[in-house]
Amino acid sequence: MGKPTGFMEYERMANPVRAPLERIGDWEEFHLPCPTEQRREQSARCMNCGVPFCQAGVQFEGRQLGCPLHNLIPEWNDSIMNGHFAHALTRLLKTNNFPEFTGRVCPAFCEQACTCGLYGDSVTVHDNELSIIEYAYAHQLMEPRFSPHSSGKKVAVVGSGPAGLAVADQLNHRGHCVTVIEKRQQPGGILMYGIPNMKLPKSVVRRRIELMTREGVSFVTGLNAADPAVAKRLSEEYDAVVLCCGAEKPRPLGIETEGVRGVYFAMDFLSAAVERQQMSLSPAIPSAKGKNVVIIGTGNTASDCAATSIRQGCKSLAQLVRRPMEDYLFPDGILPQDYAQEEAEALFGHDPRLFSQSLAALETDESGKLKAVVTKDGKRLPCELLIAATGFAGCREDICAAFGVALDRTVKTEAGSFRTSVPHVFTAGDMHRGQSLVVYAIAEGRACAAEVDRCLMGYTNLI
């Protein structure tokens, strides 16, 4: 424990955030780093508890308690406090393959379980984690690591989101020959196409892909493994196949939308926005520029759609929330806002959320173009772009059919296992557990890699 009295001497100071009206003018990251000395003080607030709940990673009374990756948080907090960033990196990478991702988009279950937060403010674990990995990249500590031995085994990972990348990274460092298959033109999955640049810069994703490539992982893009011929070839040529294709099937809106122009699902809208902004493409899904936008849903994806619409120059923004406002209030009666609601209020003068509201009908013109939505209490909202961020109904049937694996809403596996109904075919991430978070996907990928390794080698030393 670097400073036993640190939690009493230093107040919590989170990383600074760019002002809403400034950051909506571009697509750059809106969280900013703090000076090294301040970061060391924030790490000194860690109490090094006898029982560090921050790293417990267990479910308790229906809630997540601590980090699902079991990050060794007190250990690397102590190293940061003492200025030993290189040692902190070794402790962080022991449990987390991609802290540059979780340090930006994880909801920080660790901080919610922090003992220091029982009677005050929790330690800035999330920001501390990000500072370690960014220090490592800036000081050339993230050099390629190679396995001293080759197993001679070949593994195909289908899907390059966080679960697929974690599987590939683990198995590659174990000495297996790993090929990642991605249907899109660039690898990264939801990290590249589903999370806006201001939350997770695409340069950060590409940086990690480049490092993995230098370490020996092969990436094949533009290849759809849902093609039965492709699936057959992968099954025949590789010793194991791991399906990490996400939960791509969206939950339907519950009203008739056939023939209506202007209704899109959230992930399609976000993917099109990334292609337009980052890749200079012209996707079929339109921009929100000059349009009255209505978003259905209130989760992280809905917020990303709201923030994206604002940056594209929407005319107005409304967010329909089915549950009442009381369900979201803090104990002191304050309604919390995330980054997108802050931006909307700064731009339009009000919080975009309309509580206790759900969609009842759509109004179109003679050509089928959307012009308004009507809520169940009769409220009419002008709308040329309706975005459904209502969650996911499961994974794609075509990829499962191509490999012949049994499917429910997700791929069926043996209890407590990642093994599918087809020998030597495994699954991980949202395709296995359902719609979830990046941190869970990485944890699933690591656990699945250990099972694949045990299957191929008869034992495993992966954790």
Side-chain angles (χ1 to χ4, degrees):
M1 186 173 183
K3 193 173 181 60
T5 57
F7 68 95
M8 295 187 291
E9 295 181 26
Y10 305 121
E11 296 293 327
R12 175 187 167 102
M13 292 185 65
N15 280 0
V17 179
R18 297 168 63 201
L21 290 179
E22 173 195 336
R23 68 192 190 227
I24 63 175
D26 58 52
W27 297 86
E28 300 305 311
E29 192 167 11
F30 60 89
H31 287 106
L32 303 173
C34 70
T36 300
E37 189 55 39
Q38 180 182 317
R39 178 56 54 222
R40 292 179 64 181
E41 289 181 356
Q42 291 304 302
S43 297
R45 298 185 67 245
C46 181
M47 303 170 70
N48 196 12
C49 315
V51 180
F53 294 106
C54 58
Q55 65 186 51
V58 297
Q59 293 283 331
F60 182 73
E61 294 185 349
R63 297 181 59 189
Q64 178 68 37
L65 180 64
C67 177
L69 289 167
H70 308 290
N71 281 341
L72 306 175
I73 295 165
E75 294 186 32
W76 44 256
N77 272 331
D78 179 76
S79 293
I80 295 174
M81 186 270 165
N82 286 291
H84 301 154
F85 278 82
H87 183 67
L89 177 68
T90 66
R91 309 314 294 157
L92 178 56
L93 293 181
K94 188 174 181 64
T95 57
N96 188 350
N97 299 71
F98 312 121
E100 65 267 44
F101 303 153
T102 54
R104 288 177 165 89
V105 300
C106 182
F109 296 119
C110 50
E111 295 188 14
Q112 298 170 28
C114 177
T115 302
C116 194
L118 286 174
Y119 300 103
D121 295 322
S122 62
V123 175
T124 55
V125 181
H126 193 256
D127 295 345
N128 296 353
E129 174 184 343
L130 183 59
S131 73
I132 297 171
I133 190 66
E134 289 304 322
Y135 176 95
Y137 276 109
H139 291 81
Q140 290 74 54
L141 299 179
M142 292 299 292
E143 291 298 314
R145 295 179 295 140
F146 304 99
S147 173
H149 305 287
S150 173
S151 70
K153 303 292 186 180
K154 296 170 59 180
V155 180
V157 179
V158 182
S160 62
L165 292 181
V167 171
D169 196 48
Q170 290 288 92
L171 293 179
N172 179 57
H173 288 145
R174 180 73 167 97
H176 303 304
C177 180
V178 182
T179 300
V180 178
I181 310 297
E182 171 56 50
K183 66 178 179 177
R184 294 183 181 269
Q185 295 307 308
Q186 293 193 26
I190 194 172
L191 302 168
M192 178 62 72
Y193 289 92
I195 303 175
N197 195 74
M198 57 277 190
K199 278 181 68 175
L200 179 59
K202 304 312 152 194
S203 59
V204 171
V205 182
R206 294 188 182 103
R207 181 179 66 184
R208 174 57 74 164
I209 298 294
E210 290 169 4
L211 177 60
M212 291 179 66
T213 302
R214 291 166 63 195
E215 292 178 331
V217 177
S218 297
F219 289 89
V220 178
T221 58
L223 182 63
N224 190 355
D227 181 341
V230 175
K232 184 174 185 294
R233 191 171 85 244
L234 293 177
S235 298
E236 291 174 347
E237 295 181 2
Y238 289 84
D239 298 291
V241 176
V242 186
L243 304 178
C244 302
C245 305
E248 293 188 326
K249 186 178 178 181
R251 184 178 292 121
L253 271 174
I255 62 172
E256 183 57 55
T257 60
E258 186 175 355
V260 179
R261 291 185 289 117
V263 181
Y264 301 97
F265 287 108
M267 293 309 300
D268 296 331
F269 172 74
L270 291 174
S271 295
V274 170
E275 291 176 342
R276 184 180 291 108
Q277 187 263 325
Q278 281 285 312
M279 305 169 192
S280 300
L281 299 177
S282 300
I285 296 177
S287 163
K289 185 176 182 178
K291 295 181 176 63
N292 295 294
V293 177
V294 174
I295 299 169
I296 303 174
T298 187
N300 292 330
T301 302
S303 293
D304 291 343
C305 290
T308 297
S309 298
I310 289 171
R311 283 162 177 77
Q312 289 181 342
C314 64
K315 183 178 180 181
S316 69
L317 180 66
Q319 197 173 340
L320 302 185
V321 182
R322 178 176 52 85
R323 290 160 55 189
M325 181 189 296
E326 291 72 22
D327 288 357
Y328 299 91
L329 297 179
F330 283 152
D332 57 7
I334 294 177
L335 177 65
Q337 290 184 325
D338 67 9
Y339 81 110
Q341 282 122 32
E342 290 176 355
E343 293 170 358
E345 185 161 343
L347 181 63
F348 297 116
H350 59 86
D351 192 303
R353 290 171 292 183
L354 301 175
F355 294 94
S356 302
Q357 299 281 1
S358 56
L359 193 63
L362 306 177
E363 288 187 12
T364 64
D365 61 18
E366 296 78 6
S367 67
K369 185 177 179 181
L370 184 66
K371 64 178 184 180
V373 300
V374 181
T375 65
K376 287 197 173 176
D377 65 355
K379 188 177 182 65
R380 182 182 183 277
L381 303 172
C383 176
E384 295 82 42
L385 180 60
L386 177 65
I387 304 171
T390 50
F392 298 86
C395 57
R396 291 164 44 201
E397 289 93 346
D398 57 354
I399 189 78
C400 298
F403 284 91
V405 299
L407 172 70
D408 191 0
R409 288 183 69 252
T410 56
V411 176
K412 290 184 178 179
T413 59
E414 300 174 14
S417 170
F418 299 89
R419 193 187 305 263
T420 72
S421 58
V422 177
H424 299 285
V425 177
F426 301 80
T427 187
D430 289 3
M431 199 171 190
H432 178 239
R433 66 176 286 134
Q435 178 189 2
S436 192
L437 302 166
V438 169
V439 66
Y440 284 122
I442 296 173
E444 285 249 327
R446 290 174 63 90
C448 178
E451 185 170 351
V452 173
D453 184 45
R454 187 179 298 108
C455 175
L456 295 177
M457 305 300 290
Y459 76 101
T460 186
N461 57 12
L462 295 176
I463 58 171

